[in-house]
Amino acid sequence: MAARVGLTTERLVRAGADLADEVGFDQVTVSALARQFDVKVASLYSHLKNSQDLKTKIALLALEELADRVAAALAGRAGKDALTAFANVYRDYAREHPGRYAAAQLRLDPETAASAGGRHAQMTRAILRGYDLTEPDQTHAVRLLGSVFHGYISLEAAGGFSHTAVDTQETWSWILDRLDALLRNWSAP
């Protein structure tokens, strides 16, 4: 039956990612995917082990898509321009693909995380080279940027800033300006 509808692992993962964007990453299961393709759940088990395997594959897809976008945005940029491009890609991706963005936050086993997260860490560290940070400050800065970006994006998506008249884009720009200033003056007394 699965061959008749042209199911492949890649097609299922992309459909699962689309479903995550529509209904939320937590709602994605092999059963939901089977309903979408009008096939029996058992038909999908030749491509996916279980719902956790599907979610892991969606997370890997999201991390790859995000890394590709970041790499393209960073080309030829340094300093604040690179920092802003990096941050904007994450924010835009989260807005365009809320389920995929949630998937990119999935806790992965160390081996899978190393393969998937490696590009993101390298690009973040590449941005920080423009600020001349050494270890352990560079690691602290990577964590700071990740926390600020993810925290802001998550709060904004949840409507956490809708109670004030100040535009969220204005705040986002303000945060990026302050992060740039902090990174440029990191070791200042």
Side-chain angles (χ1 to χ4, degrees):
M1 184 177 223
R4 187 168 48 97
V5 292
L7 296 181
T8 65
T9 303
E10 181 181 349
R11 184 169 178 217
L12 290 169
V13 171
R14 289 203 176 276
D18 291 343
L19 185 61
D21 287 339
E22 292 171 27
V23 301
F25 182 60
D26 291 340
Q27 303 303 312
V28 175
T29 63
V30 173
S31 297
L33 202 55
R35 282 191 299 276
Q36 186 173 343
F37 282 98
D38 196 28
V39 297
K40 293 183 177 163
V41 173
S43 301
L44 304 186
Y45 287 126
S46 61
H47 303 286
L48 302 164
K49 295 176 194 168
N50 50 39
S51 290
Q52 186 60 40
D53 182 43
L54 173 61
K55 287 185 174 192
T56 298
K57 285 176 173 29
I58 294 169
L60 293 172
L61 172 69
L63 287 167
E64 184 178 319
E65 288 176 345
L66 197 47
D68 289 345
R69 287 184 181 198
V70 169
L74 290 180
R77 297 176 191 252
K80 185 180 177 193
D81 286 342
L83 176 70
T84 300
F86 183 95
N88 286 337
V89 166
Y90 271 82
R91 187 174 179 222
D92 292 345
Y93 188 82
R95 288 172 161 179
E96 292 170 31
H97 300 291
R100 284 173 164 93
Y101 182 78
Q105 310 311 312
L106 182 69
R107 185 177 184 161
L108 301 171
D109 66 74
E111 184 178 313
T112 304
S115 68
R119 283 180 70 197
H120 293 272
Q122 289 172 351
M123 288 185 284
T124 306
R125 289 181 184 279
I127 290 169
L128 293 173
R129 279 195 295 274
Y131 293 100
D132 201 29
L133 298 178
T134 58
E135 286 299 342
D137 289 340
Q138 192 176 87
T139 295
H140 297 320
V142 167
R143 292 173 179 168
L144 171 69
L145 294 178
S147 298
V148 171
F149 298 159
H150 179 64
Y152 190 88
I153 289 165
S154 297
L155 288 168
E156 184 179 37
F161 304 133
S162 61
H163 60 281
T164 64
V166 177
D167 181 59
T168 56
Q169 181 57 46
E170 183 180 336
T171 304
W172 182 249
S173 297
W174 184 90
I175 288 169
L176 295 176
D177 288 343
R178 296 316 175 274
L179 285 172
D180 174 63
L182 172 67
L183 293 169
R184 279 188 285 111
N185 299 302
W186 190 277
S187 58

